[in-house]
Amino acid sequence: MTDPAAAAAPIVDRVRRRLASSGVLPTRSAVAGLVREESGGLIGDAHLLRLVREAEDEMGGAGAVEPLLRDPDITDVLVNGPDEVWIDRGGGLERVAVRFADDAAVRRLATRLAAAAGRRLDDAAPWVDASLPDGTRLHAILPPVSVGATRLSLRVLRPRAFSLDDLVSAGTVTEQSRLLLTDIVRGRLAFLVSGGTGSGKTTLLSTLLSLVDPTERIVLVEDASELRPRHPHVVRLVARPPNVEGTGQVSLQDLVRQALRMRPDRLIVGETRGAEVADLLAAMNTGHEGGAGTVHANSAAEVPTRLEALGALAGLSRSAIQGQLVAAVDAVVHLRRDRAGVRRVHEIGLLRREVDGVAVLPAWRSDRTECEAGPRLRAMLAERLAGAW
């Protein structure tokens, strides 16, 4: 049996070529007319509409994966080759029956998406990491750097803001951790949300920021605009990569410094991944209580080491970053994705300076209601809440 997508690909390709050579604007009527011409005018209305949609997706959308990006349940679309596409609906990766005509089609899509993000993708610049105008995170890498085929990764930004009730229903947060997390935010403790890739760090941080008092001003600093807290006073600052000439870059470090001049009640860094860690910790040490951010780490215990490594990028010594870290950050909330693909708050810990460095003492774990630092966390929260209210 003929694959409908494969059968439609030559028609769509011819329409694309004709529009490119003619200079005609790709309006819906122009595309429909060319599709009918290229198909010989012997197709029905339903088939015509499908081909028009595919042609529009090829020239202005995300091609064969555009329907996947429209699916509200899909968070990631991964293209490993023209006949290998994977998605994540929140329960782990699954392969889908989406096909491209060939690797050239994947490359055309990757190049066009990169151009939409204001970036260059070609043999001289064989990879790109950028955000599309709608917020979707794009990563693409071309052969021969990517052996065998063009690889395309799309992380979809969903505008929905979740509540703690939603996260409890999804199994991400338990009733015990919900109470602790609420008090951490209300008590203005500075905290970091840690976890691996796709563990739900951004979703959890957005949800927790929705608990911030409406009278407070939140200033968000991000590499890509992903945080979506339900809060009436949010100011967003987004980093900008260099343009094709290598100029115009605005780094997270630049934005953290600007944010400090904008009278933030809460300074939030979407993901700490470089030298901006020095400015963030300095800000948290100058009266900006309740700051937060995310950091990539495989466990809560690894967070201090991770931040020490990032501090080295800013020229800070190990002892300097440790001193600032203990003074600036109160708690670490660690997320883990279990074997079933469910994202869960695995641990809440407190930072403590020790002889050989900084340690994260577990105060609560998903498999044990309370741990070593549990009483200390409760006492700290009680003191903060009594002083704040």
Side-chain angles (χ1 to χ4, degrees):
M1 181 180 294
T2 303
D3 182 356
I11 296 174
V12 172
D13 190 52
R14 290 197 297 270
V15 170
R16 179 184 60 81
R17 291 176 184 275
R18 287 184 60 179
L19 282 170
S21 62
S22 68
V24 175
L25 291 176
T27 62
R28 191 172 183 82
S29 60
V31 171
L34 290 176
V35 166
R36 189 175 290 278
E37 287 182 25
E38 291 296 335
S39 62
L42 301 176
I43 60 175
D45 290 341
H47 193 192
L48 173 65
L49 288 174
R50 183 173 65 81
L51 286 174
V52 169
R53 169 57 69 86
E54 289 182 13
E56 289 176 328
D57 290 345
E58 168 70 15
M59 288 171 285
V65 299
E66 180 68 25
L68 302 178
L69 298 180
R70 295 194 196 108
D71 188 325
D73 295 326
I74 294 176
T75 60
D76 293 86
V77 177
L78 310 175
V79 181
N80 290 347
D83 58 352
E84 187 180 343
V85 179
W86 298 75
I87 62 170
D88 189 347
R89 300 179 189 272
L93 293 176
E94 55 183 288
R95 192 166 178 173
V96 292
V98 172
R99 302 288 184 270
F100 289 81
D102 49 31
D103 189 63
V106 181
R107 179 170 178 144
R108 283 197 304 271
L109 172 60
T111 302
R112 182 164 50 74
L113 292 178
R119 303 294 296 277
R120 172 182 171 186
L121 182 65
D122 53 30
D123 291 338
W127 60 76
V128 65
D129 183 8
S131 293
L132 298 176
D134 66 355
T136 298
R137 190 69 186 230
L138 162 71
H139 184 274
I141 187 164
L142 303 178
V145 178
S146 174
V147 178
T150 301
R151 318 290 179 179
L152 180 62
S153 305
L154 295 164
R155 170 157 288 185
V156 187
L157 174 65
R158 299 301 179 194
R160 178 185 175 190
F162 292 91
S163 66
L164 271 178
D165 287 339
D166 294 328
L167 298 189
V168 170
S169 299
T172 300
V173 175
T174 66
E175 288 295 343
Q176 296 96 336
S177 61
R178 171 184 185 155
L179 295 174
L180 285 174
L181 292 171
T182 300
D183 285 345
I184 284 172
V185 176
R186 291 178 59 231
R188 297 182 61 82
L189 268 64
F191 65 95
L192 294 173
V193 179
S194 64
T197 301
S199 58
K201 300 186 293 295
T202 300
T203 298
L204 179 63
L205 182 55
S206 286
T207 302
L208 295 181
L209 292 179
S210 300
L211 304 177
V212 171
D213 191 288
T215 63
E216 296 184 41
R217 173 179 169 93
I218 300 174
V219 180
L220 304 178
V221 175
E222 298 181 86
D223 216 13
S225 184
E226 296 180 341
L227 292 168
R228 289 291 186 272
R230 292 175 178 168
H231 192 276
H233 197 160
V234 176
V235 177
R236 293 182 171 84
L237 304 179
V238 180
R240 184 176 66 192
N243 58 26
V244 292
E245 287 81 26
T247 61
Q249 180 178 19
V250 178
S251 69
L252 285 177
Q253 190 173 16
D254 296 328
L255 293 181
V256 170
R257 293 174 180 173
Q258 297 307 311
L260 292 174
R261 295 167 173 81
M262 298 175 68
R263 201 246 176 237
D265 290 305
R266 306 261 186 163
L267 175 58
I268 312 298
V269 177
E271 181 167 0
T272 305
R273 61 176 70 183
E276 70 276 0
V277 66
D279 297 281
L280 175 63
L281 295 180
M284 290 181 174
N285 276 311
T286 54
H288 292 83
E289 293 184 339
T294 70
V295 62
H296 188 100
N298 293 324
S299 68
E302 293 180 15
V303 169
T305 303
R306 171 69 170 160
L307 293 181
E308 287 173 20
L310 297 178
L313 297 175
L316 295 179
S317 67
R318 184 168 184 261
S319 59
I321 197 70
Q322 288 178 352
Q324 291 220 38
L325 177 58
V326 171
V329 179
D330 298 305
V332 172
V333 181
H334 186 72
L335 285 150
R336 180 178 293 177
R337 197 166 183 168
D338 64 21
R339 293 182 179 179
V342 179
R343 303 169 175 91
R344 301 184 187 278
V345 173
H346 175 68
E347 182 178 329
I348 301 173
L350 294 178
L351 274 74
R352 184 175 73 181
R353 185 71 178 263
E354 298 187 337
V355 175
D356 58 347
V358 178
V360 177
L361 303 181
W364 179 91
R365 280 183 178 153
S366 57
D367 54 351
R368 287 178 288 177
T369 303
E370 190 174 283
C371 304
E372 176 184 357
R376 180 184 167 199
L377 175 60
R378 291 203 316 275
M380 180 186 296
L381 288 171
E383 180 182 353
R384 289 291 187 91
L385 291 169
W389 307 108

